[in-house]
Amino acid sequence: MDDHQRCPRFEKAMEILSKRWTALIIFQLLPGPQRFARIENSLQNLSGKVLSDRLKELELEGIVKRDVYPETPVRIEYRLTDKGKALAPLFDSISNWSGEWIQLSQ
Amino acid sequence: MDDHQRCPRFEKAMEILSKRWTALIIFQLLPGPQRFARIENSLQNLSGKVLSDRLKELELEGIVKRDVYPETPVRIEYRLTDKGKALAPLFDSISNWSGEWIQLSQ
DNA sequence: ATATATAGTTACTTTATGTAACTGGGATTA
DNA sequence: TAATCCCAGTTACATAAAGTAACTATATAT
């Protein structure tokens, strides 16, 4: 009945991952690098402003890398680092759980 | 390079789990049933208002059960249902990831 | 009647997010 | 030489969500 002992690493992970949109952005990038507008259009209701904020946070955390290709017009791609890719099992867990427990109404 | 095909069950799961505080509340209940004030005090910055909202949502989703013991004063306990307990592997994933990838700055 | 305990709720403030229009650099077109 | 287009964001403003502290309701004990 005691609390979990709270591991500071775990707390930090939860702090990162439980921010709105963050997990979905990571999930969106799992298949490969994508550009700003692509991510924005893929995630319904995600505003450019918040996407911009989240990508910066994820870059700071070392989860996402921003690649600049000086073509014309410039092309910028966001991709997961190894740290980011290592989150794949998390999404597997969610996928397994939802497959077993989520009922679709209708 | 294509998007993941978006499974509606997965989307629903993300919708539930990515709301602020929701995952932490579930995690907090993993070891066993707890009362309102206990949960509130365990999670820094979680207000009673939001806790109340979240517990109602989680009850509606069938993830949490509210048990009333008509003692005096009344005792009310919140506990995970089987659906809720089935989320344990998700927290294992996060724990594994954070153990491997999160650096504590000092 | 007053005080204590639990489990919330309410009114109000602050923060986070959504919207739509705008910026800036560099081609391309008229 | 503008005027236009593309991309990758940013800005000002409006709305929604979350935090704070005081309050409600019920029941018992003093």
Side-chain angles (χ1 to χ4, degrees):
Chain A
M1 215 62 56
D2 284 310
D3 285 354
H4 281 136
Q5 58 192 59
R6 299 275 202 60
C7 168
R9 292 170 198 263
F10 179 84
E11 300 237 305
K12 173 71 173 168
M14 289 298 286
E15 186 186 313
I16 295 169
L17 295 169
S18 71
K19 263 199 152 169
R20 183 136 73 166
W21 295 114
T22 300
L24 281 169
I25 292 166
I26 295 169
F27 180 73
Q28 178 69 24
L29 289 176
L30 275 179
Q34 286 179 45
R35 299 162 77 170
F36 193 93
R38 171 84 178 272
I39 304 171
E40 189 177 2
N41 295 330
S42 297
L43 300 176
Q44 189 75 327
N45 293 328
L46 168 60
S47 63
K49 190 185 74 156
V50 172
L51 177 55
S52 179
D53 288 349
R54 290 296 181 275
L55 288 170
K56 283 172 190 159
E57 291 163 6
L58 288 169
E59 245 196 296
L60 278 177
E61 295 296 345
I63 291 170
V64 161
K65 180 75 174 47
R66 181 178 185 270
D67 293 321
V68 180
Y69 299 92
E71 304 169 354
T72 200
V74 67
R75 177 166 57 100
I76 291 172
E77 289 191 342
Y78 294 91
R79 63 178 166 83
L80 295 180
T81 61
D82 288 342
K83 181 175 177 178
K85 288 175 189 164
L87 283 165
L90 166 67
F91 295 101
D92 293 340
S93 297
I94 296 174
S95 187
N96 291 338
W97 180 78
S98 65
E100 186 168 3
W101 291 97
I102 296 289
Q103 299 302 324
L104 296 177
S105 37
Q106 265 336 339
Chain B
M1 215 63 56
D2 285 310
D3 285 353
H4 282 137
Q5 58 192 62
R6 299 273 201 60
C7 167
R9 292 170 200 261
F10 179 84
E11 300 238 304
K12 173 71 173 169
M14 289 299 285
E15 187 186 314
I16 296 169
L17 294 169
S18 71
K19 262 198 152 171
R20 183 137 73 167
W21 295 113
T22 299
L24 280 169
I25 291 167
I26 294 169
F27 179 74
Q28 178 69 24
L29 289 176
L30 275 179
Q34 286 179 45
R35 299 162 79 170
F36 192 93
R38 171 84 179 273
I39 303 170
E40 189 177 3
N41 294 330
S42 296
L43 300 176
Q44 191 73 329
N45 293 327
L46 168 60
S47 64
K49 189 186 76 153
V50 172
L51 177 55
S52 179
D53 289 349
R54 289 297 181 274
L55 288 170
K56 282 172 190 160
E57 291 163 6
L58 287 169
E59 244 196 297
L60 278 176
E61 295 297 344
I63 292 170
V64 161
K65 180 75 173 49
R66 180 178 186 270
D67 293 320
V68 179
Y69 300 92
E71 304 169 353
T72 202
V74 67
R75 177 165 58 102
I76 291 171
E77 290 191 340
Y78 294 92
R79 62 179 166 83
L80 296 180
T81 61
D82 288 342
K83 181 175 178 179
K85 288 176 190 165
L87 283 164
L90 166 65
F91 295 102
D92 292 340
S93 298
I94 296 173
S95 187
N96 291 338
W97 180 78
S98 65
E100 187 168 1
W101 291 97
I102 296 290
Q103 299 303 325
L104 297 178
S105 38
Q106 256 346 332

